[in-house]
Amino acid sequence: MDVFTRLGLKQVINASGKMTVLGASAVSEEVAQTLKEASQNYVDIDEIMELTGTVIAEVTGAEDGCPTSGAAAGIAISVASVIAGTNLTHIERLPYSDGLKNQVIVQKGQQIHFGASIAQMISLGGGKVVEVGQANKVEAEHIEEAINEHTAALMYIKSHHAIQKGMQSIEKMIEIAKRYQIPFIMDAAAEEDFQKYIAMGADIVIYSGGKALEGPTSGFICGKKVLMEACRKQYKGIGRPMKIGKEGMAGLMVALKQYSHKDENIELQISRMKLLCEDLNGVPGLTCMIKQDEAGREIYRANIEVNSKEAGMDAAELLHALESGNPAIYLRHHYVNIGILSVDPRPLLKGQEETIAEKIRLILARGVR
C-alpha cells in the first residue's frame, strides 16, 4: 500500500504523462533518499542555491543556473531578471514595473494556458505581454515591428499546447534578439534536451525539474551568468513566495547528475503500447494506433479513437468512467472533443497497461456512463 492510499486517497494510475496535476514524476530511489536526508538536516540556503546553479550549468552547458520551485516560477523569475536585473530597488517594486523596460514579445499562437496562463506568469515578473501576429501565422516583421525602447525580452514557448504551424522558428527569434541586443527567453518546461537551446544561443532557458528530468517538484533556469545572478536576486522580491527549499535543491542536483545515465528505453515503451493497441483493437468501437508527440519529442503514445455509436459511449464518457474508478485511471485527453484518448507509457508502472485495457473493456461491456 502506497503512502497516498494509507492517507485515505484513492490509487491513481497515471497514463496521462508527466503532468503537474497528477504529481509530475516518480523519483528514483537515490533522489528519494536525498530528499529524506536533506529534510532532516540544515544548510546555508544561499550556499546550496549557488551550488545548485553550478550543477545546472554543468549539465546544461550554460554559464550559470538558478533553481526554482517549478517552471512557472521560472518564467516569472526570468522575466523579473531582465526587467530589474540586480537592482534591489527595482526588484522590490515588482511586479509594478512602470518606467522600466518591461515589454515581453510573444507570438500569438504561443499565448497558451498550461494549467495557468503564460501571460499571467509573465505579469507576475513585471512583464507587459506584447502579442504579435495571428494565432496561426506570425511573420518575422510582426516581431521586429513590435520591438521598441520598452522591449525587455523576446520569449518562445515550446509546448504541445502551442500552435505548431505558422510560427517563427526558435532560430529566427534568436537571430532577431541578437540583432537588436535583446535577451531571448526560452520556456522549455517539458523538453528533454537540457543543452539544445543554450547551444542555439538562448540567453535564458527554463525547465521543469519534475517532468523529463524526473526529479522532485522543482524547476531550473540556465543561461548567461549575469542573468542567472539576477534570477537568484529575485528571491529578495517576487521570487520569495516561489522559493524552493533545501530538499528540492538537493534532490534536483542528484536528478541532474543522474540524467545522462538514464535509459528511456523507447523501444520498450513502443512495445508496451503495441500490445495495448493489439488488445484494444479487438474491442467494438475502438481503434488504437501509436502516434509520436505533437511537439516532435521522442514520446510514442497509444492513441485510442472512440466510435461512440459502436462503443456505446463517447470518449468523454469513457474518460469520466476511468477517472471515477478506484484505481482512478487518467489518460491524456487533449483531443477528447474529437473522440481521441491517449496512453503515455512513460509514467506507467509495470503491467499497468494491462490494467488499463482490462478496465476499458469492462466499462464498455457494462455500458457504464
Side-chain angles (χ1 to χ4, degrees), residues 47-117:
E47 187 176 355
I48 191 174
M49 185 167 286
E50 289 200 12
L51 176 61
T52 307
T54 299
V55 174
I56 292 168
E58 289 172 355
V59 172
T60 62
E63 294 177 7
D64 200 355
C66 175
T68 70
S69 60
I75 294 172
I77 289 169
S78 295
V79 169
S81 76
V82 299
I83 293 173
T86 57
N87 184 305
L88 187 57
T89 300
H90 292 166
I91 288 168
E92 290 177 344
R93 281 180 54 189
L94 298 182
Y96 305 106
S97 59
D98 290 349
L100 302 175
K101 283 188 176 182
N102 61 4
Q103 292 183 3
V104 178
I105 296 173
V106 180
Q107 299 186 70
K108 192 175 184 67
Q110 295 178 0
Q111 272 288 64
I112 62 170
H113 193 283
F114 59 95
S117 162

Side-chain angles (χ1 to χ4, degrees), residues 123-190:
S123 297
L124 285 171
K128 306 297 182 185
V129 178
V130 178
E131 288 185 4
V132 295
Q134 309 306 318
N136 65 340
K137 185 65 175 177
V138 178
E139 301 283 2
E141 289 91 334
H142 287 131
I143 297 167
E144 295 191 57
E145 288 165 4
I147 295 172
N148 59 42
E149 67 274 16
H150 304 296
T151 304
L154 305 187
M155 178 176 281
Y156 189 102
I157 292 87
K158 177 70 172 175
S159 170
H160 62 272
H161 293 297
I163 300 296
Q164 301 300 319
K165 66 175 184 176
M167 298 298 103
Q168 288 297 304
S169 67
I170 298 165
E171 292 88 345
K172 186 61 178 178
M173 287 198 75
I174 290 175
E175 185 269 314
I176 293 171
K178 289 191 179 304
R179 181 149 40 88
Y180 286 87
Q181 298 184 322
I182 298 167
F184 177 75
I185 301 173
M186 181 79 195
D187 173 19

Side-chain angles (χ1 to χ4, degrees), residues 193-218:
D193 189 334
F194 297 149
Q195 298 184 350
K196 178 178 180 179
Y197 304 113
I198 288 295
M200 288 172 68
D203 298 296
I204 296 177
V205 187
I206 304 153
Y207 293 98
S208 169
K211 292 189 176 177
L213 183 64
E214 294 184 349
T217 300
S218 60

Side-chain angles (χ1 to χ4, degrees), residues 2-4 12 14 17-20 22-33 35 208-217 251 255 258 262 264 345-350 352:
D2 67 38
V3 61
F4 298 118
V12 166
N14 177 11
K18 298 175 182 181
M19 310 296 288
T20 301
L22 295 177
S25 297
V27 303
S28 69
E29 286 295 331
E30 186 178 355
V31 171
Q33 183 61 30
L35 294 170
S208 169
K211 292 189 176 177
L213 183 64
E214 294 184 349
T217 300
Q258 288 181 338
K262 189 171 68 171
E264 289 289 354
R346 296 173 300 158
L348 291 180
L349 304 181
K350 186 177 180 180
Q352 286 185 335

Side-chain angles (χ1 to χ4, degrees), residues 337-366:
N337 61 309
I338 57 172
I340 296 175
L341 300 171
S342 301
V343 175
D344 190 322
R346 296 173 300 158
L348 291 180
L349 304 181
K350 186 177 180 180
Q352 286 185 335
E353 67 273 18
E354 297 170 12
T355 303
I356 293 168
E358 180 182 356
K359 186 66 174 177
I360 288 174
R361 289 196 306 269
L362 182 61
I363 290 169
L364 294 180
R366 290 179 175 176

Side-chain angles (χ1 to χ4, degrees), residues 259-272:
Y259 191 69
S260 63
H261 307 293
K262 189 171 68 171
D263 181 12
E264 289 289 354
N265 206 334
I266 302 298
E267 292 305 317
L268 176 60
Q269 292 180 21
I270 292 173
S271 175
R272 293 174 74 184

